[in-house]
Amino acid sequence: MSKNDNSLGQAQAGREDPDYEFVAASGFYLYGWDHEWVHKDSGEPVQSVDHLVSEIDHLFGYGHFAKPGKLILLMHDEMFQDGFDGKTQLTKLITALKLRHYAFGIIQSYDD
């Protein structure tokens, strides 16, 4: 993530600049995300797995990422509660992405 992140509004970016500098000076790295599996306030996912996979396919077709060919997908833990069948939904997402030959990696390999 860059302090020049285009997704931040000017006012928000101005408030967050000191935080970026502090984190960087402390030896930590910040990673933003390219896409989000959106959820309601309750945590319930908004997009179905099929819709999310379609969005990811579209994003890779367009290819506009912070790192070419790599996508960081933001998913909040409250989406995976038992009430939303979270384990099944996450398993279905992983399976669908693997069937499309997407690969998963660890954050340390993101910059490679």
Side-chain angles (χ1 to χ4, degrees):
M1 175 178 275
S2 164
K3 66 179 178 180
N4 297 321
D5 186 347
N6 294 328
S7 68
L8 297 177
Q10 191 171 14
Q12 182 181 0
R15 287 190 309 270
E16 294 190 9
D17 277 349
D19 294 332
Y20 289 119
E21 299 302 328
F22 174 76
V23 169
S26 299
F28 292 96
Y29 295 96
L30 294 174
Y31 293 92
W33 59 89
D34 297 293
H35 196 60
E36 179 179 3
W37 192 355
V38 180
H39 61 82
K40 298 176 184 177
D41 288 341
S42 65
E44 181 181 3
V46 172
Q47 301 113 311
S48 68
V49 168
D50 291 336
H51 185 92
L52 178 62
V53 170
S54 177
E55 290 176 347
I56 291 170
D57 285 341
H58 177 76
L59 288 169
F60 271 98
Y62 181 66
H64 185 73
F65 301 115
K67 291 282 185 177
K70 296 185 178 187
L71 175 134
I72 294 179
L73 179 64
L74 174 65
M75 300 179 287
H76 293 276
D77 57 342
E78 62 262 29
M79 296 174 57
F80 303 107
Q81 300 174 54
D82 291 341
F84 306 131
D85 203 14
K87 182 178 178 182
T88 301
Q89 294 302 314
L90 183 57
T91 301
K92 186 176 174 184
L93 174 63
I94 292 169
T95 300
L97 293 173
K98 284 183 174 181
L99 285 171
R100 286 177 163 70
H101 305 288
Y102 290 108
F104 295 81
I106 59 174
I107 198 70
Q108 289 84 353
S109 67
Y110 181 71
D111 291 323
D112 295 340

